[in-house]
Amino acid sequence: PPLMNYGYSGEFILPMKLNLAAKLANLKNIDLRAKVSWLVCREICIPEGGELNLTMPIETKSGKTRGDTANLFDSARAKLPRLLDSKLVALSLDETEISLTLKSDFSNQFKDVKRIDFFPVSDGFVKNAVAPKISSSALGETRFSLAKEENFPKNPTEFIGLIVVQFKEKHDAIAYEFHSNFSNSEATLCIWKS
């Protein structure tokens, strides 16, 4: 089967929380070093890597990060998921597809939408190399029909994915993290803005 991966473009931040030993609590800064590797891809992928060094201010007891990196972390925190009403999405299964329907109350809140994409997070549920079929109803609902993986779990419990809304005039997007419990068809959406 064809291979499909998802990647990043431009600048991005992967926020992580580090818990320091008590004896380091009085430090103002900490030096972080990492050996990293990545792929630079367009039509082919070229492996790259290197060693990175970063001096980071340690968060104060008030929870504020000191130094020049504060804006970077504030920006990353602003993009973290926030809960959204689960009644705005419906999930259904048949023998070959997972259908994800965004209700009109969800879809109609956006103006000048360029595109809406769905990216699966749960492994082994969706054939990633098969493009989802996207359709709209007269009521304003948006439906994603996702091809099920051959080895789809017999008794799935939770399905997780990302819904990304891109706008015509803006370079930013809004992404929603989708969690669904198959046993009772309850869905939870989390939202963050990029």
Side-chain angles (χ1 to χ4, degrees):
L3 174 69
M4 179 162 180
N5 287 309
Y6 303 104
Y8 299 95
S9 62
E11 186 178 279
F12 66 96
I13 295 172
L14 300 173
M16 298 168 56
K17 184 176 181 178
L18 298 176
N19 294 313
L20 302 176
K23 65 182 179 182
L24 301 175
N26 293 328
L27 294 177
K28 290 186 179 183
N29 296 300
I30 189 165
D31 293 322
L32 302 175
R33 293 182 189 87
K35 228 181 234 192
V36 296
S37 60
W38 61 88
L39 295 173
V40 177
C41 303
R42 188 166 201 108
E43 292 179 22
I44 61 168
C45 292
I46 301 167
E48 300 232 352
E51 292 187 19
L52 303 177
N53 298 304
L54 179 65
T55 300
M56 292 288 305
I58 294 177
E59 188 174 273
T60 64
K61 290 183 183 181
S62 67
K64 299 291 181 190
T65 305
R66 299 183 305 250
D68 297 335
T69 56
N71 290 338
L72 290 174
F73 284 94
D74 289 344
S75 173
R77 282 186 195 104
K79 295 175 186 178
L80 292 174
R82 296 174 293 214
L83 289 176
L84 188 71
D85 188 351
S86 62
K87 295 176 184 169
L88 299 176
V89 65
L91 187 69
S92 61
L93 295 170
D94 66 25
E95 290 184 20
T96 60
E97 291 183 335
I98 300 171
S99 294
L100 176 69
T101 303
L102 306 176
K103 305 281 180 88
S104 58
D105 290 347
F106 175 88
S107 298
N108 291 337
Q109 69 181 313
F110 302 111
K111 303 293 181 215
D112 299 321
V113 171
K114 181 178 179 181
R115 63 186 287 165
I116 298 177
D117 294 305
F118 179 80
F119 300 96
V121 173
S122 295
D123 194 31
F125 285 72
V126 175
K127 291 181 181 177
N128 291 331
V130 177
K133 294 180 235 163
I134 303 171
S135 58
S136 297
S137 74
L139 299 174
E141 294 181 334
T142 302
R143 181 178 182 159
F144 294 88
S145 298
L146 309 161
K148 281 172 53 177
E149 189 65 61
E150 281 88 10
N151 297 323
F152 187 84
K154 292 200 187 304
N155 296 309
T157 54
E158 186 176 48
F159 180 58
I160 303 171
L162 296 176
I163 299 164
V164 180
V165 181
Q166 297 176 339
F167 300 95
K168 291 177 185 173
E169 300 297 323
K170 300 177 184 175
H171 295 290
D172 62 344
I174 300 176
Y176 300 84
E177 185 176 341
F178 174 81
H179 292 253
S180 178
N181 184 325
F182 283 106
S183 63
N184 58 17
S185 298
E186 287 182 359
T188 302
L189 283 174
C190 303
I191 174 174
W192 76 91
K193 257 186 106 166
S194 70

